[in-house]
Amino acid sequence: MIVAISQPGDRHATAVLAALRARGARAVLLDLAEIPRRGRIALRYGRGGGERLLATRAAAIRARDVTAVWWRRPRALVADPRLGAASAGFAVRQSAEALMGLASILDARWVNDPWREAVANRKAHQLAAAEREGLPVPRTLVTNDAARARAFIRAGGRGGTVHKALAATPEDWRPTRLVAPDDVRRLSAIRHAPVVLQEYVPGVDVRVTVVGRALFAAAIDARATRSPEDFRPAFDDARVAPCTLPADVARRLRALVAALGLRYAAVDLRRRDDGEHVFLEANPAGQWLFVERRTGQPITEAVARLLAGR
């Protein structure tokens, strides 16, 4: 059995599960959010032990049957609404402990291991790891110190400085943007929430989807769109095409993903006019269907193969 941990309506999970089932694999979607309300878990130890069971409305999952787990985009656990706040918090904590205990003893292929992914998601950690692997990174400052931020922005010169969040939810996500005069006037506000400041690197975005040892690189030229700093708000207007990475960049990227403990990642690079590839960030659960649609690269099949052990 191959288990995809995500949520209903996840188009990427739907596409990969369909590809796996077409190969004859038994593949199920597991939504962790419903476990405290509707799931059943049983872990037996000692005499008569050995049972490792997680049952939901979708399937009964026995640990011995699981060959791969796709830690795609899990939702937070949700307690029964009839419980009070204190009891709900207790129920969620106990459910989380039991679930992660089960996860820790699974003899399965993880894409990605949730503990390693939690560390790999940290932008500050990614930048340090990229530097160790020899990938160029932009001048970057992570800070909640307004004076240091102001000095960094001044030193950025005519090229400008972009700002972005260290972490975001779907509710508070914002695109990467150049620091504007209004932002400088409000710099004292970062005392409450550190920000990432980074020199603006002009050039073409290169999105690299890493699936095991396979690299799918796509050049996304958003320079003539309304959003040259961040291609995402203007992707439909950007020029998109498959591209080939220089051998040394490909080698360093594979080394970086391995150092982060990942089997899958969507990596964003910026290719300067002189051909240098600069590392921006990596997303261990990044999307790819939008790239596959424009380039025809068989990324969905590659993810299915990886989960199937090929």
Side-chain angles (χ1 to χ4, degrees), residues 175-234:
T176 299
R177 283 288 177 256
L178 284 166
V179 173
D182 281 349
D183 299 319
V184 176
R185 285 191 286 271
R186 294 194 300 265
L187 270 179
S188 60
I190 71 170
R191 177 66 189 87
H192 306 288
V195 67
V196 181
L197 297 172
Q198 206 165 60
E199 69 169 309
Y200 177 59
V201 180
V204 174
D205 287 286
V206 177
R207 176 73 165 218
V208 185
T209 309
V210 184
V211 188
R213 296 290 295 171
L215 303 180
F216 299 92
I220 304 171
D221 189 349
R223 290 175 294 181
T225 73
R226 68 185 187 281
S227 182
E229 306 94 350
D230 188 332
F231 69 80
R232 291 169 294 183

Side-chain angles (χ1 to χ4, degrees), residues 11-71:
R11 295 186 303 119
H12 290 71
T14 300
V16 171
L17 290 174
L20 286 166
R21 290 165 184 155
R23 293 168 167 269
R26 185 182 176 201
V28 299
L29 177 70
L30 174 62
D31 181 8
L32 294 184
E34 69 174 37
I35 299 300
R37 292 172 294 167
R38 303 186 184 95
R40 291 180 292 116
I41 187 167
L43 308 174
R44 294 171 66 95
Y45 303 88
R47 184 176 299 173
E51 182 182 38
R52 310 282 192 267
L53 172 70
L54 177 63
T56 69
R57 291 180 298 173
I61 301 167
R62 288 179 171 79
R64 65 175 180 268
D65 299 329
V66 178
T67 57
V69 181
W70 184 21
W71 190 257

Side-chain angles (χ1 to χ4, degrees), residues 4-7 10 30-33 70-77 100 114 117 285:
I5 298 178
S6 192
Q7 50 198 274
D10 179 356
L30 174 62
D31 181 8
L32 294 184
W70 184 21
W71 190 257
R72 164 64 188 153
R73 290 201 167 181
R75 290 201 297 167
L77 306 187
M100 297 313 285
E117 181 173 303

Side-chain angles (χ1 to χ4, degrees), residues 78-306:
V78 179
D80 191 309
R82 293 170 295 182
L83 298 175
S87 296
F90 181 80
V92 165
R93 288 194 302 275
Q94 303 316 300
S95 298
E97 285 296 318
L99 283 169
M100 297 313 285
L102 173 59
S104 70
I105 57 177
L106 283 179
D107 184 17
R109 173 188 297 263
W110 284 89
V111 182
N112 293 297
D113 179 298
W115 290 274
R116 290 175 176 169
E117 181 173 303
V119 176
N121 252 323
R122 312 297 183 195
K123 285 186 171 64
H125 179 69
Q126 294 174 8
L127 289 165
E131 283 190 311
R132 285 195 298 271
E133 299 303 334
L135 287 164
V137 302
R139 285 179 57 255
T140 303
L141 174 66
V142 178
T143 189
N144 68 342
D145 184 321
R148 282 183 168 82
R150 192 170 285 107
F152 183 88
I153 292 166
R154 274 199 221 99
R158 296 174 59 187
T161 302
V162 296
H163 63 94
K164 51 190 175 183
L166 283 161
T169 66
E171 291 74 30
D172 60 20
W173 179 86
R174 298 290 185 276
T176 299
R177 283 288 177 256
L178 284 166
V179 173
D182 281 349
D183 299 319
V184 176
R185 285 191 286 271
R186 294 194 300 265
L187 270 179
S188 60
I190 71 170
R191 177 66 189 87
H192 306 288
V195 67
V196 181
L197 297 172
Q198 206 165 60
E199 69 169 309
Y200 177 59
V201 180
V204 174
D205 287 286
V206 177
R207 176 73 165 218
V208 185
T209 309
V210 184
V211 188
R213 296 290 295 171
L215 303 180
F216 299 92
I220 304 171
D221 189 349
R223 290 175 294 181
T225 73
R226 68 185 187 281
S227 182
E229 306 94 350
D230 188 332
F231 69 80
R232 291 169 294 183
F235 181 72
D236 288 342
D237 299 323
R239 291 185 294 173
V240 183
C243 65
T244 301
L245 294 173
D248 67 317
V249 175
R251 176 177 58 79
R252 294 179 195 279
L253 268 185
R254 288 191 177 98
L256 171 63
V257 172
L260 293 173
L262 304 175
R263 285 191 166 110
Y264 172 89
V267 180
D268 288 316
L269 308 173
R270 184 63 69 91
R271 187 178 67 208
R272 299 183 191 268
D273 289 343
D274 62 6
E276 181 183 49
H277 288 68
V278 179
F279 174 85
L280 299 180
E281 62 182 65
N283 187 340
Q287 313 280 44
W288 74 81
L289 288 179
F290 71 102
V291 173
E292 187 172 73
R293 174 173 58 86
R294 296 284 296 273
T295 65
Q297 294 169 315
I299 304 172
T300 298
E301 277 297 320
V303 174
R305 285 198 306 273
L306 179 63

